[in-house]
Amino acid sequence: GENAMSTTALVGMGVGIFFVQYSLLPFVWPGAYPPDLWLVVTVLVTLFYGGRSGLWLALVAGLAADIAGTNFFGIHLASYLAVVLATSPVEGRLQRRWNISVMWTFLVSLLAGAVTFAVLRFSGADPAWGGYFAAAELPRATINAGTALLLHWWLRPSREKGR
């Protein structure tokens, strides 16, 4: 977009998200499906600030998430890059309203779930498609969409804070 996010802002936000996702969230959200803050922020940053900012965040977030907590290296990186690829073409075409942020985050969370499923299948795991999606990805997409509702106003460009 015309107003890319500064590197300092991206790095600062990344450090903050990393802390919240891996240190704070497990205590305040002990349930099975905590929101994926990396994914939600990557979606919103791409929607609001363009593909370049989203791509950097997806690379850093994907690598950090894969290093911090997964048995399948590349699973977060692949899904976050897919989110940026899906979101970049619509950046600037969708209105920057809270309901668009919520719906788009829900949809691309399902896309990220499909990519995660594909990576799992490709690496030899055999999750059942329907059961996996109903049990894991629909609840996660719903929680991510709710998180997008909360983060929409914080991440939106400051000249648009009225919407």
Side-chain angles (χ1 to χ4, degrees):
E2 72 285 346
N3 54 339
M5 212 171 201
S6 75
T7 305
T8 310
L10 282 169
V11 169
M13 190 166 46
V15 170
I17 294 166
F18 189 85
F19 170 75
V20 172
Q21 184 81 53
Y22 297 109
S23 299
L24 191 61
L25 212 53
F27 294 105
V28 297
W29 192 294
Y33 303 111
D36 186 340
L37 296 179
W38 286 116
L39 185 139
V40 174
V41 171
T42 299
V43 170
L44 295 178
V45 164
T46 306
L47 270 179
F48 297 159
Y49 299 98
R52 173 173 256 157
S53 296
L55 183 62
W56 279 110
L57 198 56
L59 287 170
V60 171
L63 290 172
D66 282 335
I67 290 167
T70 184
N71 301 333
F72 295 95
F73 189 79
I75 206 162
H76 292 95
L77 182 60
S79 61
Y80 298 163
L81 289 174
V83 160
V84 172
L85 287 172
T87 305
S88 288
V90 302
E91 176 261 330
R93 295 182 185 170
L94 294 178
Q95 292 180 319
R96 293 178 180 138
R97 297 187 185 278
W98 68 268
N99 54 337
I100 304 265
S101 292
V102 168
M103 287 186 293
W104 191 257
T105 301
F106 181 80
L107 290 173
V108 295
S109 290
L110 292 177
L111 169 69
V115 170
T116 298
F117 180 85
V119 171
L120 288 171
R121 287 299 293 262
F122 188 71
S123 62
D126 194 24
W129 176 249
Y132 170 80
F133 241 78
E137 296 307 332
L138 276 174
R140 188 172 290 127
T142 305
I143 289 161
N144 286 345
T147 305
L149 177 63
L150 298 175
L151 295 180
H152 170 87
W153 286 276
W154 177 60
L155 288 169
R156 202 182 41 216
S158 55
R159 64 181 175 5
E160 301 178 15
K161 292 290 191 204
R163 284 191 224 165

